[in-house]
Amino acid sequence: MKKLSFPLVTSILAGALVILQLPLWLVFVRQRLDYPVPIDYGEGPLLRQLQYLQQTASLASLYGPLESAPYVVVNYPPIYLIASQLVALVGDNLWAGRFVSAVAGLVAAIAIVMLSRPASPTQIHYVVGAIIAGTW
């Protein structure tokens, strides 16, 4: 009987971890999408930013000078606000921000795995990437 190599065993364990973690992540995302009120402090400023964008339709005015009103705290990059504003066309602002965050988290997990492609013949880089992505 052939002995299992360390990279193979760790790859199987990392894959099992990701497979077990994915349904939990999906349940968590679904619960957050359906929750009707802000969950943490960060959602309040984001809602205000999206409302301001919908009223003024000017991304440049959101990043205006700090010497004059309105004093809007912008803690997200413009692409996030644009994506949230587009998603808000089919849902409310709170749902849109959460949906964009969930998709960004999934893209980040995929990027972690893709960036950890092996430079050597072993698959340990995939294993580390899968574990980081699956537990992030």
Side-chain angles (χ1 to χ4, degrees):
M1 180 174 199
K2 187 176 180 181
K3 184 179 175 184
L4 294 175
S5 66
F6 176 73
L8 178 63
V9 171
T10 54
S11 295
I12 291 170
L13 290 175
L17 177 67
V18 171
I19 289 170
L20 290 172
Q21 191 76 9
L22 188 60
L24 295 174
W25 182 81
L26 291 172
V27 167
F28 177 74
V29 167
R30 179 68 183 173
Q31 288 174 343
R32 287 199 106 174
L33 285 175
D34 291 339
Y35 200 71
V37 295
I39 295 172
D40 64 9
Y41 171 77
E43 290 181 335
L46 178 62
L47 285 173
R48 177 64 188 119
Q49 293 164 21
L50 287 176
Q51 290 169 349
Y52 185 77
L53 276 176
Q54 290 170 344
Q55 292 168 358
T56 64
S58 171
L59 192 62
S61 66
L62 195 61
Y63 292 93
L66 296 177
E67 292 83 27
S68 62
Y71 303 107
V72 180
V73 176
V74 183
N75 52 348
Y76 288 91
I79 191 71
Y80 183 87
L81 297 173
I82 292 168
S84 296
Q85 191 175 16
L86 290 174
V87 174
L89 295 174
V90 296
D92 68 335
N93 290 345
L94 192 58
W95 186 88
R98 290 175 180 168
F99 181 79
V100 171
S101 293
V103 170
L106 186 60
V107 169
I110 292 169
I112 288 170
V113 172
M114 296 305 292
L115 289 171
S116 64
R117 287 186 296 186
S120 65
T122 66
Q123 299 295 315
I124 194 69
H125 296 88
Y126 279 126
V127 173
V128 171
I131 290 173
I132 291 171
T135 58
W136 179 55

